[in-house]
Amino acid sequence: MVGQFVLGLAVVEPVFMGANLQLRAVVATDATGDFPFHQYLGLRFVTSFLALALVAAIVWVTNWSLATSLVIMAVALAKAVDSFSDIFYGLLQHHEQMASIAKSMMMKGVFALPCFTAGLYGTDSVVGGVVGLAVALGIVTLGYDARNGAAILRAARRPGARHVNMVEALRGTLGSRTGWHAMKAVAWLALPLGVVMLLISVNLNMPRYFIEHVLGEWELGIFGAMVYLVVAGSTVVDALGQSATPRLAKYYATGDRAAYHALLMKLLGAGFAMGAAGVGIAMLAGREILTVIYGADYAAHNDVFIWLMIGGTALYVASFLGFGVTATRRFRQFLMPYVLVTAVTLAGSAALIPAFGLIGAAWAACLTSIVTCAVLAILV
């Protein structure tokens, strides 16, 4: 069941990462107000629908079992719901309202865990759990995130300007030729970043594709569960980076390079320190931690866990470098470096996983993180 869920994420995440066009970052770094928010929101509606259709097409042409196919579609539904929360996060981030984002994420955790658990045990199926997850995400998105976004737009409108309801503005964007032209301009600006996010997600998931194909869903479940301990650290990195991105963008836009570099170096130091601490903990107590959290089947692969944490250190540093480049809004600069990283990831996964199994997958993930870190450092 864990393997099915991890496979669902591995299939769906690259599609939605690409389709989302990293609009959250584009909204957050729009320091000069190039586009109104309802145009970003309208584009998110269009791209999320296209992403759902693409996932359905992938499921249609593959030979996965019905149970696995239903899990993948349920994960796609949850990702589609969460994509709207993500665009509101961009608006909140632009206005440096990070506390509201934090409250939203905490509410998602509070609602998502019992809803997923109830769906899982109530149906004895991963599909039921993921549908419960989608319901929880939808409640928070509509009940909290959208309301916060509307409040910010009301507060930010110019004195004397007519109040325009966000739903009305969105309907006007989707229902007019002018709105579609504006969304096309936004999409063209964000397209390189969307392609890069697609490549990043493919790079992170590439070992999982090979594991599922070569070793099977059982081994994929073991690998995926251990990877999510690295993802837990990425959540902290993402919080720091998202908080700093608007400030970095302002420093860069105003030409204050000294402040930009000083803040970026602090972030890089924090990323390295977090990763090094994770490696030390994995080496000293990794087996015990895996036993307590997941069980003996996972603890038997502690060497894989250690290598994943080493790769996580490079990944944390690379993430902060990525935030530094995103703040410059020079999105097209990302493209060629990530094409190189994807080629390295594909070659590493193809060579290492069939020959060495799960430890080879950990080496491949490590190689990807180190190469990513190197090319982003050169780009910065």
Side-chain angles (χ1 to χ4, degrees), residues 38-63:
H38 58 81
Q39 291 174 354
Y40 291 110
L41 184 59
L43 182 59
R44 176 53 53 88
F45 265 96
V46 173
T47 58
S48 293
F49 175 80
L50 293 176
L52 277 172
L54 181 55
V55 172
I58 292 171
V59 169
W60 179 262
V61 300
T62 56
N63 60 353

Side-chain angles (χ1 to χ4, degrees), residues 133-146:
L133 173 63
V135 170
L137 295 175
I139 291 172
V140 177
T141 299
L142 292 176
Y144 187 78
D145 298 330

Side-chain angles (χ1 to χ4, degrees), residues 31-360:
T32 56
D34 295 335
F35 300 97
F37 177 72
H38 58 81
Q39 291 174 354
Y40 291 110
L41 184 59
L43 182 59
R44 176 53 53 88
F45 265 96
V46 173
T47 58
S48 293
F49 175 80
L50 293 176
L52 277 172
L54 181 55
V55 172
I58 292 171
V59 169
W60 179 262
V61 300
T62 56
N63 60 353
W64 286 310
S65 67
L66 177 61
T68 299
S69 298
L70 289 175
V71 170
I72 293 171
M73 290 307 305
V75 171
L77 175 64
K79 285 291 181 182
V81 172
D82 201 39
S83 70
F84 293 99
S85 182
D86 176 76
I87 195 72
F88 286 115
Y89 284 0
L91 179 63
L92 294 167
Q93 187 179 342
H94 176 75
H95 291 275
E96 299 195 42
Q97 299 289 327
M98 305 307 292
S100 295
I101 298 176
K103 292 174 184 177
S104 171
M105 294 179 69
M106 285 188 282
M107 282 190 287
K108 286 180 183 178
V110 168
F111 289 131
L113 182 59
C115 287
F116 183 93
T117 303
L120 180 68
Y121 282 95
T123 64
D124 195 28
S125 166
V126 183
V127 176
V130 180
V131 170
L133 173 63
V135 170
L137 295 175
I139 291 172
V140 177
T141 299
L142 292 176
Y144 187 78
D145 298 330
R147 292 168 65 89
N148 274 335
I152 284 180
L153 293 175
R154 285 195 300 269
R157 75 176 187 268
R158 295 174 182 175
R162 184 178 73 89
H163 170 62
V164 179
N165 182 275
M166 186 163 58
V167 176
E168 294 176 1
L170 178 62
R171 188 183 298 119
T173 297
L174 294 173
S176 69
R177 181 176 297 181
T178 302
W180 281 92
H181 280 303
M183 288 190 295
K184 181 180 177 181
V186 176
W188 184 249
L189 170 67
L191 181 60
L193 202 53
V195 175
V196 167
M197 295 309 296
L198 168 64
L199 293 175
I200 290 174
S201 187
V202 168
N203 292 338
L204 292 175
N205 285 291
M206 187 82 72
R208 303 179 192 181
Y209 303 143
F210 278 87
I211 292 171
E212 194 274 338
H213 180 70
V214 176
L215 304 176
E217 288 183 351
W218 177 277
E219 287 77 8
L220 178 60
I222 290 174
F223 183 82
M226 287 192 288
V227 164
Y228 270 85
L229 293 176
V230 180
V231 172
S234 294
T235 304
V236 179
V237 170
D238 190 55
L240 292 171
Q242 298 287 5
S243 300
T245 296
R247 194 67 55 85
L248 287 169
K250 290 176 184 178
Y251 290 152
Y252 190 85
T254 57
D256 191 351
R257 303 299 170 83
Y260 171 91
H261 286 124
L263 179 54
L264 183 59
M265 289 304 296
K266 290 178 182 178
L267 294 172
L268 296 178
F272 181 81
M274 283 180 52
V279 173
I281 292 171
M283 295 180 69
L284 293 174
R287 190 177 301 275
E288 290 76 10
I289 291 172
L290 292 174
T291 301
V292 170
I293 297 177
Y294 294 134
D297 287 333
Y298 297 84
H301 299 279
N302 187 51
D303 54 343
V304 176
F305 180 48
I306 293 172
W307 278 104
L308 286 173
M309 294 306 299
I310 292 172
T313 304
L315 179 64
Y316 299 159
V317 174
S319 296
F320 283 130
L321 289 169
F323 284 119
V325 179
T326 300
T328 70
R329 291 177 70 84
R330 296 171 66 178
F331 303 135
R332 296 182 187 277
Q333 300 288 339
F334 271 118
L335 195 53
M336 288 311 297
Y338 273 102
V339 170
L340 171 63
V341 173
T342 302
V344 171
T345 304
L346 177 60
S349 297
L352 295 172
I353 295 174
F356 299 100
L358 286 185
I359 192 69

